[in-house]
Amino acid sequence: MNIASPITLAAVAVMAPLATFLIIGLIAPLRRSGKPAAWVGILGATTSTVAAALLVVDGRSDILIADWLGAGGKFFASIGFQVDGISASMLLVVSLVAWCVQVFSLGYMSDETPAGLGRYYTWHSLFLFSMNGLVMSPNALQLFLCWELVGLASYLLIGFYFRKPSAGRAAVKAFWITKLADIGLGAGLVALYVLTAKASPDGLGSFDWSPQVAQAIGTGGATVVAGLFFVAVMGKSAQFPLHIWLPDAMEGPTPVSALLHAATMVAAGVYLVVRAYPLFQAAPDVLLFMTYLGAWTAIFAAVIATVQTDIKKVLAYSTCSQLGYMVSGLGAGSLFGGYFHLFTHAGFKALLFLGAGALIHAVHSNELTDMGGLWRKMKLSGTAFILGALALAGVPGLAGFFSKDTILEALHASGQTVPWLMLLLAAGLTAFYMTRVVALALFGKPGHHTEHAHEAPASMLIPVLLLAVTAVGAGYMGGPLAKMVGAEYAFHWSMTGIIATSLGLLGIAAGWAIYGARIVTAEQLAVFAPIGNFIRASAVDRSAAWVYRNAMLGLGSGIAWFDRYVVDGVMNLTAWLAMSGGQQLRTFQSGRAGDYVYAVLVGVVLLVAAGLWNA
């Protein structure tokens, strides 16, 4: 096989982190060594990134399918690699972000014990293998297997500080909410197989997501499958009301937040929609639901982000909001718009999380009020963070501007006025809350936490500066990316873009006036304190907790009672009857030959008497 073939490069990108996971995980002395284990993990991420970059440059498409599950010489499931513009570009995004996070972690996790650092990079390698396998999946079944591995790796990384109760709770919460949603993906797979089996001459189903499959199962079948798939998307990509796990997941190390919840893991749901888009296109009702739910998630999460005081929580809710943009764009029929924003968002949101990590590392606090005045001591990190904030706010010329505008144009063209207005308002709120973060953290009043702050070390600074380049340049990749996904793209300034930009600039001006220039006094802001407290209280989270404690735990207790006293009772009664009957029958089995002779004679006499009676 040609070593430069697309399939070879794809296999290298997927298998390199699997190899480092096995090496670090199975060789105990290496795993406990700390930085040597870290360098092994970084080697795997580097290999994946180089292979993915070569795959993108190569530009060829290819597919490798191997029969997997079947009977009687007929196979109904396969595994392999699907290389095309979508998977190649996403593979590069995932691998590059993972590499930046792993290098950044060398400095950020420098105080971690050697054994802890080895464990950290073991889980990182498992995550990267799982995510790369998901990206290269040629069908929904293989994607589902890697999807579940991603969930496992996320659980392990979120709960990395397992001795911290809040981290343990956050890991369990993330795991169970996403697993609850994953029931939809599992049921969707079953429905897909059954529907395709009915439409197949040989009676064998398929897990394919091609246009031919969508045509074969019809609108009704596609609606069932796409609807079930989207339930899983709601959990993984944190759509309302299943978004509640994402802010809590910030209990993990900050680099984990950048890896899992800014660029890759949460994007897996959006990627599933992109990959299975022929099925979604055949289900217009599902697309309409996605359009409205995504828009609602975008504005809902943006409102909550405006009152958060923890810098990571602001970015977490921002991620929910931007994922809502992607889902709404896909629902409006813009495959390229949703994927383009996924592509650009990966870079500038990873930049924001790692930039926040540099600020947190300097002051040892997540609170915005503890970070005041950091601009004077961390100009490089601060500049990069501001650049990421401006890209997220959609400032013209930066990455977020181009991809957001594409989604807004798609909604306007589709005639979906209400979601369009909601996303425009969310754009203004995004600019407002990111200006608030910049004003408080970098230019606010210095406190005792900032006295000994200093610029981040090179291992942290290099990935941040590299991602800052993507926050600018990724937006100009729209044309090549459109060709890779089979779409057309040519940026043009429209009324929608003018309105969105104006709202963004207005949000920046309002945020700076309140929190930077402090034109509005604290006493005047106090009038809005009750509103802020109400928003911060997160009624959705409390409602979910109430349902869990009062409904789900109550249902579980009822099922446990039924199992203990009804199911076990029936089984215990059956066993008691068998034992009692056996005890009674034992009296007839004495083991003495004379008893048996007497029994035979009695039986003969009874038979003769019965015969005479009947005669």
Side-chain angles (χ1 to χ4, degrees):
M1 181 181 287
N2 185 351
I3 195 160
S5 72
I7 295 300
T8 300
L9 293 173
V12 169
V14 174
M15 295 303 173
L18 175 61
T20 57
F21 164 70
L22 294 174
I23 290 170
I24 303 173
L26 296 178
I27 303 176
L30 176 62
R31 189 174 66 253
R32 300 189 187 104
S33 64
K35 284 197 174 181
W39 284 112
V40 172
I42 292 172
L43 177 62
T46 303
T47 304
S48 288
T49 304
V50 172
L54 292 174
L55 204 57
V56 170
V57 172
D58 182 78
R60 289 178 291 169
S61 297
D62 201 355
I63 188 168
L64 173 67
I65 297 292
D67 292 331
W68 182 29
L69 299 175
K74 296 182 178 180
F75 293 88
F76 62 85
S78 58
I79 56 175
F81 301 112
Q82 180 176 359
V83 181
D84 57 16
I86 294 174
S87 61
S89 54
M90 186 65 183
L91 187 71
L92 179 59
V93 167
V94 172
S95 299
L96 179 61
V97 169
W99 182 87
C100 289
V101 169
Q102 290 197 20
V103 173
F104 182 90
S105 298
L106 281 175
Y108 190 86
M109 307 287 288
S110 59
D111 294 334
E112 187 60 50
T113 63
L117 195 62
R119 176 165 53 88
Y120 177 80
Y121 277 91
T122 302
W123 304 146
H124 258 278
S125 296
L126 174 62
F127 176 86
L128 182 55
F129 159 68
S130 305
M131 194 66 202
N132 283 354
L134 184 153
V135 168
M136 304 308 297
S137 296
N139 55 56
L141 181 61
Q142 182 177 326
L143 181 141
F144 174 70
L145 299 176
C146 294
W147 181 284
E148 295 304 311
L149 273 177
V150 168
L152 172 62
S154 301
Y155 165 79
L156 294 169
L157 287 167
I158 294 169
F160 176 76
Y161 297 125
F162 59 89
R163 292 184 177 86
K164 187 179 176 183
S166 58
R169 288 193 298 270
V172 171
K173 184 176 182 180
F175 186 84
W176 282 118
I177 290 178
T178 54
K179 291 314 107 182
L180 176 66
D182 290 353
I183 295 173
L185 183 53
L189 288 175
V190 174
L192 179 61
Y193 181 81
V194 171
L195 290 168
T196 51
K198 289 181 179 179
S200 175
D202 58 8
L204 285 179
S206 170
F207 297 103
D208 195 9
W209 41 41
S210 65
Q212 292 76 17
V213 167
Q215 184 178 7
I217 64 177
T219 300
T223 300
V224 171
V225 175
L228 289 170
F229 279 8
F230 187 65
V231 173
V233 174
M234 289 173 62
K236 193 74 84 177
S237 290
Q239 296 299 286
F240 179 92
L242 299 182
H243 68 282
I244 55 177
W245 66 270
L246 186 60
D248 289 34
M250 298 301 108
E251 289 290 341
T254 301
V256 168
S257 302
L259 178 69
L260 274 62
H261 311 302
T264 53
M265 182 261 195
V266 294
V270 176
Y271 183 78
L272 169 59
V273 177
V274 171
R275 195 80 275 189
Y277 205 61
L279 296 174
F280 284 85
Q281 279 183 312
D285 291 341
V286 176
L287 290 180
L288 182 63
F289 178 74
M290 288 169 54
T291 303
Y292 278 85
L293 181 66
W296 169 250
T297 302
I299 192 169
F300 174 83
V303 168
I304 297 178
T306 60
V307 297
Q308 298 300 310
T309 59
D310 183 324
I311 189 171
K312 290 174 65 176
K313 290 287 182 71
V314 176
L315 297 179
Y317 280 109
S318 172
T319 298
C320 292
S321 182
Q322 298 307 305
L323 290 168
Y325 262 93
M326 299 172 205
V327 169
S328 191
L330 291 168
S334 178
L335 171 65
F336 172 69
Y339 186 65
F340 189 21
H341 198 50
L342 170 62
F343 182 82
T344 61
H345 176 263
F348 61 71
K349 186 52 68 67
L351 166 62
L352 286 169
F353 266 108
L354 294 187
L359 302 181
I360 293 169
H361 187 264
V363 301
H364 306 288
S365 173
N366 292 10
E367 292 297 314
L368 291 169
T369 52
D370 293 334
M371 297 179 179
L374 285 179
W375 167 256
R376 292 197 297 266
K377 298 190 175 184
M378 304 179 69
K379 281 190 169 56
L380 287 176
S381 298
T383 301
F385 188 87
I386 293 173
L387 198 59
L390 293 175
L392 175 58
V395 170
L398 302 181
F401 165 74
F402 296 102
S403 55
K404 272 187 179 181
D405 188 69
T406 304
I407 291 175
L408 290 168
E409 285 286 352
L411 269 103
H412 187 263
S414 68
Q416 302 288 351
T417 304
V418 173
W420 178 70
L421 291 173
M422 293 168 72
L423 291 183
L424 282 174
L425 182 55
L429 289 172
T430 301
F432 174 80
Y433 66 66
M434 287 311 302
T435 303
R436 171 177 175 265
V437 170
V438 169
L440 291 177
L442 297 178
F443 300 102
K445 182 180 179 181
H448 67 277
H449 288 81
T450 60
E451 291 177 1
H452 304 290
H454 54 80
E455 186 58 87
S459 61
M460 296 169 62
L461 199 55
I462 290 172
V464 167
L465 296 178
L466 176 60
L467 289 170
V469 175
T470 69
V472 178
Y476 299 94
M477 296 297 294
L481 188 66
K483 292 180 181 178
M484 294 177 73
V485 302
E488 295 183 359
Y489 172 75
F491 175 77
H492 62 280
W493 193 265
S494 65
M495 184 56 64
T496 294
I498 294 173
I499 295 172
T501 301
S502 300
L503 288 173
L505 295 176
L506 182 62
I508 292 173
W512 185 257
I514 296 172
Y515 299 102
R518 299 188 181 278
I519 296 174
V520 181
T521 65
E523 290 75 15
Q524 292 171 321
L525 283 176
V527 177
F528 300 99
I531 300 175
N533 292 335
F534 175 77
I535 296 172
R536 198 179 294 112
S538 184
V540 176
D541 209 342
R542 289 186 285 111
S543 298
W546 185 91
V547 170
Y548 173 75
R549 294 191 185 100
N550 296 277
M552 296 185 68
L553 289 183
L555 178 63
S557 299
I559 293 173
W561 181 91
F562 183 83
D563 179 68
R564 184 178 301 112
Y565 295 106
V566 177
V567 177
D568 287 355
V570 170
M571 298 305 297
N572 292 337
L573 177 61
T574 303
W576 180 83
L577 291 174
M579 290 292 292
S580 299
Q583 291 291 343
Q584 298 301 320
L585 290 174
R586 285 180 61 187
T587 60
F588 297 100
Q589 299 292 330
S590 64
R592 294 191 291 269
D595 294 343
Y596 300 144
V597 172
Y598 292 138
V600 170
L601 288 174
V602 171
V604 170
V605 170
L606 292 175
L607 287 172
V608 171
L612 292 174
W613 179 268
N614 291 329

